[in-house]
Amino acid sequence: MIPIAWYLVLASVLFCIGAFGALTRRSGIAIFLSIELMLNAANLTLVAYSRIHGDSAGQMFVFFALAVAAAEAAVGLGLFISIYRLRHTIDVNRLNRLRW
Amino acid sequence: MLLTVFALFAGVALVSAIVVVLHRNPVVSTMSLVVTLVATAGLFIMLGSPFLAALQILLYTGAILVLFLFVIMLLNVQRERTTTTRMSGMFIGAGICALVFAGALVRLFWSAYADTAVKPLDPEAFSLVSVARDLFATYLLPFEMIGLLLLVAVVAASWVAKKPESADDPDAIEVVKQGEPR
């Protein structure tokens, strides 16, 4: 049996890779992808905890997190399309106005 | 044997996650995230939740990432013309922050769970029947609310992303006139 700590360690490393990407990438899409990576790492942690405790509540949380991620992706990508129509870029360094 | 499978999935997930973060081409990043998510789905199966693994592959790689690819192609996003170079201070600073945070998390989890004996998988508690019972009895209200949330999100997304009604929309013209350097 694999020690459960390994899953948690893997999840935390994945989370930190995603956080690094969200901090350094400049394209809006790439930042979004990094955030999805972080969400996925959190899901892995929840499933591992659900396994430790023999309780399926963690799995339900992951189910809801997946649904919220779908909603978030739909709204976020819609915003990107709208921003691109106005500014012809989604480079976050150029999107520096609160109002335009 | 089990260890080999775990190492395989974990290694694939880590390598493709690094590619997601470092590759300049957004299409390659997205496809690499698909690989990460599929490897994580394999780990879900090893943790005894094949339902979530199937959901992950269907929902994430099948729907959400296809949406990403659609938007990347629709907007014709090019490789990042970076305003920050690879080895700028921000790059190094973020790297150090991520490493320190990862180290702290790994140490925390390792000291807390290194000698946790996992109970053998209870097929009763993790079966599809019990998942269905949880979903439609214990968590019925959140389940309905998530349906409402998805409806709201779809309506909002299609409203936000729609074309402006007319070409001579005064706001749109003003925006183009004072437009930023492309």
Side-chain angles (χ1 to χ4, degrees), chain B residues 102-181:
Chain B
L105 278 177
V106 165
R107 173 150 172 71
L108 180 73
F109 282 137
W110 197 255
S111 59
Y113 289 102
D115 48 356
T116 301
V118 181
K119 281 176 279 185
L121 193 63
D122 177 12
E124 189 62 32
F126 280 66
S127 68
L128 205 51
V129 174
S130 95
V131 167
R133 199 177 293 126
D134 276 344
L135 207 52
F136 296 115
T138 319
Y139 297 98
L140 182 61
L141 182 63
F143 184 78
E144 296 294 340
M145 280 166 66
I146 218 83
L148 189 64
L149 175 77
L150 281 172
L151 175 69
V152 169
V154 166
V155 171
S158 52
W159 186 83
V160 163
K162 79 170 195 291
K163 268 203 159 70
E165 271 98 25
S166 57
D168 50 18
D169 185 0
D171 287 343
I173 285 176
E174 193 192 7
V175 165
V176 171
K177 272 181 187 159
Q178 53 164 246
E180 286 283 297

Side-chain angles (χ1 to χ4, degrees), chain A residues 78-92:
Chain A
L79 282 175
F80 279 143
I81 292 176
S82 167
I83 289 172
Y84 187 83
R85 214 167 255 143
L86 283 173
R87 304 290 295 270
H88 299 280
T89 179
I90 50 166
D91 185 330
V92 292

Side-chain angles (χ1 to χ4, degrees), chain A residues 25 36 56 85 87 93 97, chain B residues 60 80 83 134 161 180:
Chain A
R25 298 300 296 270
E36 296 289 337
S56 62
R85 214 167 255 143
R87 304 290 295 270
N93 276 357
R97 289 189 189 168
Chain B
Y60 246 117
E80 262 169 67
T83 40
D134 276 344
E180 286 283 297

Side-chain angles (χ1 to χ4, degrees), chain A residues 1-10 12-18 20-21 23-27 29-30 32-34 36-37 39-40 43-45 47-57 59-64 66-71 73-75 77-82 84-88 90-91 93-94 96-97 100, chain B residues 2-3 6 10 13-14 17-18 20-24 29-30 33 36-37 40 43-44 46-49 51-52 55-56 59-60 64 67-68 71-72 74-75 77 80-81 83 90-91 94-95 98 101-102 105-106 109-110 113 118-119 121 125-126 131 134-135 139 142-143 146 149-150 153 157 160-164 175 178 180-182:
Chain A
M1 193 64 221
I2 314 284
I4 210 77
W6 289 18
Y7 290 96
L8 299 172
V9 165
L10 174 69
S12 47
V13 172
L14 281 178
F15 184 87
C16 292
I17 292 174
F20 174 76
L23 288 175
T24 52
R25 298 300 296 270
R26 298 293 83 192
S27 152
I29 296 269
F32 214 158
L33 287 174
S34 304
E36 296 289 337
L37 195 58
L39 267 175
N40 188 50
N43 284 348
L44 184 57
T45 316
V47 175
Y49 273 117
S50 149
R51 181 75 180 76
I52 295 174
H53 297 291
D55 184 349
S56 62
Q59 296 191 15
M60 292 302 108
F61 286 167
V62 173
F63 176 84
F64 292 124
L66 279 176
V68 171
V75 173
L77 292 173
L79 282 175
F80 279 143
I81 292 176
S82 167
Y84 187 83
R85 214 167 255 143
L86 283 173
R87 304 290 295 270
H88 299 280
I90 50 166
D91 185 330
N93 276 357
R94 293 170 180 225
N96 48 10
R97 289 189 189 168
W100 64 78
Chain B
L2 214 54
L3 196 64
F6 175 82
L14 279 178
I18 290 172
V20 171
V21 166
L22 289 185
H23 208 284
R24 290 263 168 86
S29 278
T30 311
L33 186 60
T36 313
L37 294 175
T40 318
L43 293 176
F44 283 180
M46 292 180 71
L47 283 168
S49 47
F51 172 66
L52 283 180
L55 213 59
Q56 170 112 334
L59 239 178
Y60 246 117
I64 297 180
L67 197 63
F68 272 91
V71 171
I72 289 171
L74 187 68
L75 302 188
V77 182
E80 262 169 67
R81 286 170 306 176
T83 40
M90 200 180 78
F91 198 83
F101 193 50
L105 278 177
V106 165
F109 282 137
W110 197 255
Y113 289 102
V118 181
K119 281 176 279 185
L121 193 63
F126 280 66
V131 167
D134 276 344
L135 207 52
Y139 297 98
F143 184 78
I146 218 83
L149 175 77
L150 281 172
V160 163
K162 79 170 195 291
K163 268 203 159 70
V175 165
Q178 53 164 246
E180 286 283 297
R182 305 267 155 97

